[in-house]
Amino acid sequence: MTLSSDAARRHDFALSLIREAGELALVSFRDLAHVAVDTKLDGQDVVSAADKAVEALIRSRIAGAFPDDGFLGEETGLSEGCSGFHWTVDPIDGTSCFVHGLGSWCVSIALSDREKTISGLIFAPVSDDLYAATIGGGAYLNGAAIRVDTATTIETGLVGLGASHRVAPAEISGFLHALLTADGMFVRSGSGALSIAEVAAGRLAAYYEPHINAWDCLAGLLVVREAGGRTMFPGAGRRLLDGGPVIAVAPQIETRLLALIEAAAHKARS
Ligand code: LIP
């Protein structure tokens, strides 16, 4: 499937915009002492002046080029559009890492038509990694085609795990217990978007988080599907503002991963 010319124009536009946005964020990252930080839901849920500045840049550029498109940004919320195209943006995913001087953060931009994500971009400025996918067009890391790791197993691969205070601690610890008991191992990088993209590149075998927001994952999930992986996220479409559990996984371990998640959920309920 190839993108329509309207969609392709937006994808190309976003490819250059995401680099500009990442470079703006990087300037602040190199000068953290002068970056204001506020808390949101709790002390671990942070937003910096850089998040706001980067979202303002992305939002104004998109509004200038495609004024009838819809937009949802983590920091500025939802504006409905009437063009049939919708942008979902996280200006800095992994803000906690960002404000603590850790390099695991990225900019995430997803473009959807009326039904589904059609373009997904993730840019990690510290490593200079740009992940890009279009629906039916494959997944790429810095221009080279990528695939999920089809040889990995629960016992040999790494499962990215996301955690936040939006879910009960037992949901996280229950999954960790199940994974470790199955001889698996976890990584928490602090950026859900980047971890999901790392599944597409075969760096992680899977990513699981009991609750994530749409702006953290829509772009990465398209990259994973285009790289041959499986994804689950109920928080798209009408539930765009609710978020939900997210899974991105290499196909051969999907059944086992789901069983581990179900075992943990069953234990948490009993
Ligand atoms: C955060 C993610 C983090 C995830 C949280 C949260 P933010 O986004 O990247 O990895 O576990 O659910 O949404 O606040 O850094 O954009």
Side-chain angles (χ1 to χ4, degrees):
M1 176 181 172
T2 48
L3 292 183
S4 68
S5 60
D6 282 347
R9 207 155 49 87
R10 285 167 170 81
H11 176 74
D12 292 345
F13 173 86
L15 272 172
S16 98
L17 177 58
I18 201 166
R19 279 203 177 273
E20 183 186 2
E23 277 151 25
L24 179 64
L26 198 52
V27 171
S28 293
F29 186 69
R30 301 287 184 225
D31 186 26
L32 280 177
H34 297 105
V35 176
V37 178
D38 287 325
T39 55
K40 297 198 279 189
L41 296 178
D42 59 48
Q44 302 289 349
D45 186 15
V46 286
V47 57
S48 75
D51 295 68
K52 294 174 186 168
V54 173
E55 185 157 320
L57 171 81
I58 296 172
R59 195 165 189 140
S60 71
R61 287 271 193 279
I62 290 174
F66 306 107
D68 295 331
D69 288 6
F71 187 95
L72 172 65
E74 176 172 17
E75 314 307 340
T76 54
L78 178 67
S79 303
E80 303 282 359
C82 57
S83 65
F85 290 104
H86 183 94
W87 301 85
T88 304
V89 170
D90 193 343
I92 297 179
D93 183 73
T95 304
S96 177
C97 295
F98 181 95
V99 303
H100 289 105
L102 297 167
S104 176
W105 54 271
C106 63
V107 184
S108 174
I109 299 181
L111 174 68
S112 312
D113 64 13
R114 290 183 202 282
E115 291 160 17
K116 56 202 170 313
T117 311
I118 56 175
S119 158
L121 300 176
I122 303 276
F123 180 46
V126 173
S127 55
D128 202 28
D129 278 344
L130 175 59
Y131 295 87
T134 55
I135 190 161
Y140 298 86
L141 169 55
N142 297 329
I146 49 174
R147 300 295 292 169
V148 297
D149 182 350
T150 52
T152 193
T153 65
I154 289 287
E155 291 80 5
T156 59
L158 295 173
V159 175
L161 176 63
S164 75
H165 289 288
R166 298 186 300 274
V167 298
E171 284 199 58
I172 310 293
S173 59
F175 175 74
L176 263 182
H177 186 268
L179 180 66
L180 293 172
T181 303
D183 292 333
M185 188 44 70
F186 71 96
V187 173
R188 180 181 188 258
S189 80
S191 168
L194 194 50
S195 299
I196 291 168
E198 285 163 346
V199 175
R203 293 172 176 175
L204 293 179
Y207 184 76
Y208 167 60
E209 179 161 353
H211 180 275
I212 201 165
N213 288 303
W215 48 79
D216 297 320
C217 70
L218 286 187
L221 292 176
L222 179 65
V223 182
V224 169
R225 288 193 291 279
E226 288 297 321
R230 304 260 169 81
T231 67
M232 272 161 259
F233 177 61
R238 288 176 187 202
R239 295 192 48 211
L240 198 62
L241 296 175
D242 298 340
V246 69
I247 298 166
V249 60
Q252 74 281 6
I253 60 168
E254 180 184 19
T255 305
R256 282 200 64 202
L257 184 74
L258 291 176
L260 295 176
I261 292 168
E262 179 46 36
H266 181 72
K267 204 166 170 194
R269 284 194 298 268
S270 59

